């Protein structure tokens, strides 16, 4: 990816008798129920730190009910956007509208970042690294002998592969669509030296065997209140991770803390996936600590 020079990306500079201002960059987020997302603000703040004139727009199909994913992609590309982040429920649907995919996106089978460049649409998955990095920092030394993963959609796919990379010995996958859980288990096993993933049978038994539980569904978002499983299945020995970050304190995490479980909220994944996405959009290496600080200020 070409680097952007400090002059091109940064402060206003003189060029002959002409003044050159910050390079404009347009990006956006496509999804449902995303009005409370902190992603626009953390990208715009990081852009300002580099002297970029970066504008981040929400394409919320719950607000604009006539908008479709293909129309949004076409509009953004025609208007010169650098790219788009993709969230629930479009991370898998977007693939058929792309020209290319990165290795990570191809492995996961889901895309959360689309870059428009040289007349092509290239899909990337920054969720995989985002969750893994958040987990490494937030739950160091966690027991990975058996992890119950709830959700086999776009985010669940990334989390499942991240758990494999993090060294999970066994991954049990539950989803409202049993076929989706079985497919994800097969995909994870296809990248492992030996089978380690399997679809869940009864949630009661799966939770009883698990050392940790991850919610990779949208359940717990402001527009989808509730918990992905019965909180009575949680025990103090469990560690609990949630990828939802608006609200940051989900009902699931609240119930887990009440049972003295170690917990990991969705803020780390949100920040670290944004760090990678910012680089893909701009060619600049974002400061993860600065983006995290911006994220946390927004929640005050």
């Amino acid at each position: 990816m070409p680097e952007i020079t400090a002059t091109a990306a940064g402060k206003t500079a003189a060029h002959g008798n002409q003044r050159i201002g910050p390079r404009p960059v347009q990006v956006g987020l496509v999804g449902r129920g995303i009005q409370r997302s902190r992603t626009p603000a953390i990208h715009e703040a990081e852009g300002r730190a580099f002297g970029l004139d970066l504008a981040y727009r929400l394409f919320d199909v719950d607000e604009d009910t006539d908008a479709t994913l293909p129309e949004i992609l076409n509009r953004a590309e025609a208007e010169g956007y650098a790219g788009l982040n993709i969230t629930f429920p479009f991370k898998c649907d977007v693939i058929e509208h792309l020209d290319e995919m990165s290795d990570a996106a191809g492995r996961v089978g889901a895309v959360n970042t689309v870059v428009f460049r040289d007349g092509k649409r290239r899909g990337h998955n920054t969720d995989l690294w985002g969750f893994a990095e958040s987990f490494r920092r937030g739950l160091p030394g966690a027991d990975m002998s058996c992890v119950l993963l709830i959700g086999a959609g776009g985010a669940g796919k990334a989390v499942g592969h991240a758990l494999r990379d993090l060294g999970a010995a066994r991954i049990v996958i539950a989803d409202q669509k049993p076929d989706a859980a079985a497919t994800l288990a097969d995909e994870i096993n296809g990248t492992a030296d030996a089978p380690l993933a399997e679809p869940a049978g009864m949630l009661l038994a799966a939770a009883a065997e698990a050392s940790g539980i991850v919610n990779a569904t949208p359940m717990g978002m402001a527009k989808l209140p509730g918990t992905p499983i019965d909180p009575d299945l949680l025990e103090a020995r469990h560690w609990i991770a949630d990828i939802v970050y608006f609200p940051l304190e989900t009902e699931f995490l609240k119930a887990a803390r009440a049972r003295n479980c170690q917990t990991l909220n969705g803020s780390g994944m949100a920040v670290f996936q944004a760090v990678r996405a910012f680089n893909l959009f701009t060619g600049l290496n974002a400061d993860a600590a600065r983006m995290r600080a911006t994220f946390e200020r927004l929640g005050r």
Side-chain angles (χ1 to χ4, degrees):
M1 179 179 299
E3 291 295 323
I4 301 174
T5 66
T7 297
K11 309 301 182 183
T12 300
H15 183 71
N17 294 324
Q18 185 179 9
R19 300 292 291 180
I20 301 174
R23 181 174 69 84
V25 178
Q26 286 183 291
V27 291
L29 174 66
V30 186
R32 289 186 179 277
I34 54 176
Q35 294 302 306
R36 292 179 62 187
S37 173
R38 301 184 194 181
T39 301
I42 62 175
H43 275 271
E44 290 180 348
E46 192 65 11
R48 286 193 297 272
F50 280 101
L52 291 176
D53 178 17
L54 189 150
Y56 196 111
R57 175 182 176 184
L58 294 178
F59 294 91
D60 190 337
V61 296
D62 277 354
E63 298 293 316
D64 183 0
T65 56
D66 292 329
T68 66
L69 178 61
E71 290 170 348
I72 294 169
L73 290 167
N74 291 340
R75 187 191 325 166
E77 187 173 25
E79 292 178 0
Y81 276 60
L84 296 169
N85 283 133
I86 310 294
T87 191
F88 173 80
F90 300 119
K91 292 183 180 183
C92 296
D93 293 346
V94 73
I95 292 174
E96 66 180 289
H97 305 289
L98 305 177
D99 299 302
E100 303 172 344
M101 289 206 297
S102 69
D103 290 342
R107 174 185 166 199
V108 172
V111 165
N112 77 317
T113 304
V114 175
V115 174
F116 302 120
R117 185 169 292 129
D118 300 327
K120 292 186 177 181
R121 301 171 179 177
R122 182 172 175 82
H124 300 262
N125 191 295
T126 68
D127 282 337
L128 191 161
W129 181 79
F131 179 82
E133 190 65 14
S134 174
F135 192 95
R136 280 190 286 265
R137 299 189 187 204
L139 288 173
D143 182 352
M144 300 294 283
S145 57
C146 181
V147 181
L148 171 58
L149 169 61
I150 306 171
K157 287 174 177 286
V159 171
H161 284 275
L163 290 170
R164 180 261 189 203
D165 292 352
L166 288 163
R170 184 180 174 208
I171 305 170
V172 181
I173 306 168
D175 194 273
Q176 290 182 335
K177 299 177 181 177
D179 288 349
T183 297
L184 178 54
D186 288 343
E187 291 170 352
I188 293 171
N189 290 334
T191 68
D193 295 332
L196 57 87
E198 63 193 76
M202 297 293 292
L203 270 178
L204 177 63
E209 295 177 10
S211 54
I213 304 172
V214 183
N215 174 37
T217 77
M219 182 64 71
M221 291 173 60
K223 65 168 290 180
L224 289 171
T227 60
I229 61 171
D230 186 342
D232 288 339
L233 298 180
L234 305 182
E235 302 176 35
R237 63 183 181 82
H238 287 131
W239 56 260
I240 306 296
D242 202 328
I243 69 165
V244 173
Y245 76 88
F246 53 97
L248 203 55
E249 173 80 352
T250 63
E251 292 181 43
F252 189 45
L253 290 181
K254 184 177 181 180
R257 277 194 279 272
R259 289 160 175 78
N260 295 316
C261 301
Q262 283 188 291
T263 61
L264 179 70
N265 64 39
S267 63
M269 180 177 176
V271 170
F272 288 116
Q273 68 80 21
V275 167
R276 281 281 173 91
F278 185 89
N279 173 257
L280 291 168
F281 292 146
T282 68
L284 295 165
N285 294 320
D287 184 317
R290 185 167 58 207
M291 291 187 85
R292 183 61 178 259
T294 301
F295 182 96
E296 291 174 352
R297 281 198 303 273
L298 294 169
R300 293 175 185 167

